[in-house]
Amino acid sequence: MAQTQTIDRRNQHRSEKHGLNAMTAGRTGWEVLHLTAAKFEQHMAQHGKRTLGAIAFGGRTGSVASPAAVPCISVEMAVAGDERFFEVIGGSSPVIQLQEADIVGAHDDAVLFACLALTQEHSLEADTCAAYRRLFDFIERAGFPHLLRAWNYIPHINLDEEGLERYRRFSVGRHDAFVAQGRSLGEHVPAACALGTRGDRVLIYFLAARTPGTPIENPRQISAYDYPEQYGPRSPTFSRAMLATQAGSSTLFISGTASIVGHQTVHCGDLSAQADETIVNLKSVMAEASRAQPAAAVAQTRLMFKAYLRNLDDAPLIKNKLAHEFGTDIEVVCLEADICRTDLLLEIEGIYTTYFEEHS
Ligand code: 3EB
């Protein structure tokens, strides 16, 4: 019943968009925000105490630091139309900060943010495996064993390293870590993305929860964890999306989504057609997720995208296509990044939040 309603409902409530700030200020629970540099400063001054973490895009260093007194990671990726862009993980007070070796993080009652920056010491697969195992130990010890979403940023992602592309080496290491920690390789793998950066360190950040989310697949695509061997010796360990609910709202983390049908890249070399196919895939995942939504009345929705483009000159076209398909009140940021298949020109990830009407 709910599946056909989500998009329409959002449009119906478009005029309420500016009520979001009031909702954000008075809300409890966690949320992901996408902010400009100016808004980030303002937001941190006001809400720093209940902030779990921040990710700065456009910066020059791939370092983990806490300039804003919260766990923070900096991703070297050019941002269309701006110097910097911030992704902020907002939580509820009290926020507990944690640090273990090279991992910094923070959690509130419901959700945990953790990040690390990796200097390559051995092979990329060995380093990735060790990093993922440390991250798994970290979230498990903190009491948040259920991975919702993982972001992976990898220098020279398409570079061949002794006969195997670095993305494929990364996939091997990640896969091995799931196996080594006794984690499921199919059901309940997190939503994720894997993109190239101009930096020199592998950056990984996680959102994890005390209770499991609901993984969502895309009927138009073979599950990534079932990809055939032609895409690498170990299949990528991610789900197409993860739905996480909290009191009053649900959040759909849509994984990096590209012009793939079945397991094959389609529209090689054609940016516009790849964008259209990607949008069909985004809609397909969202429709699939709406079937798993709680059967509560929708008060408002919010949709934001990060579009990764090999060429930032394509940003206006992508923004136009997304606005045309999803409405002009969506939030879109375009970032310059290499995509993990050499024939893909773009990849788009999303966060779709549904706020439910309150019951008394
Ligand atoms: C794809 O659908 C495109 O390895 O974590 C998208 C999202 C992709 C996540 C990952 C890879 C990953 O296969 C690539």
Side-chain angles (χ1 to χ4, degrees), residues 2 42 45 51 97 115 145 170 178 187 192 268:
Q42 205 185 327
T51 298
Q97 291 189 354
C115 61
F170 166 83
F178 275 78
E187 293 154 42
C268 290

Side-chain angles (χ1 to χ4, degrees), residues 152 167 170-171 174 192-194 221 224 227 236-238 240 255-258 260 339-341 344 347:
N152 304 290
Y167 169 65
F170 166 83
S171 284
R174 173 175 58 178
C193 60
Q221 298 181 317
Y227 278 171
T237 317
F238 72 95
R240 298 297 177 187
S255 291
T257 302
I260 295 173
I339 319 298
C340 66
R341 287 189 189 182
L344 287 172
E347 179 175 311

Side-chain angles (χ1 to χ4, degrees), residues 261-284:
V261 177
H263 58 74
Q264 266 155 342
T265 300
V266 293
H267 317 298
C268 290
D270 184 343
L271 185 273
S272 178
Q274 285 202 8
D276 293 341
E277 196 71 53
T278 300
I279 286 169
V280 174
N281 278 329
L282 290 167
K283 287 187 154 179
S284 173

Side-chain angles (χ1 to χ4, degrees), residues 296-317:
V298 174
Q300 192 176 16
T301 62
R302 177 177 207 186
L303 181 56
M304 48 204 215
F305 292 116
K306 272 155 76 190
Y308 303 96
L309 311 175
R310 280 196 191 268
N311 185 348
L312 264 196
D313 295 341
D314 298 326
L317 177 79

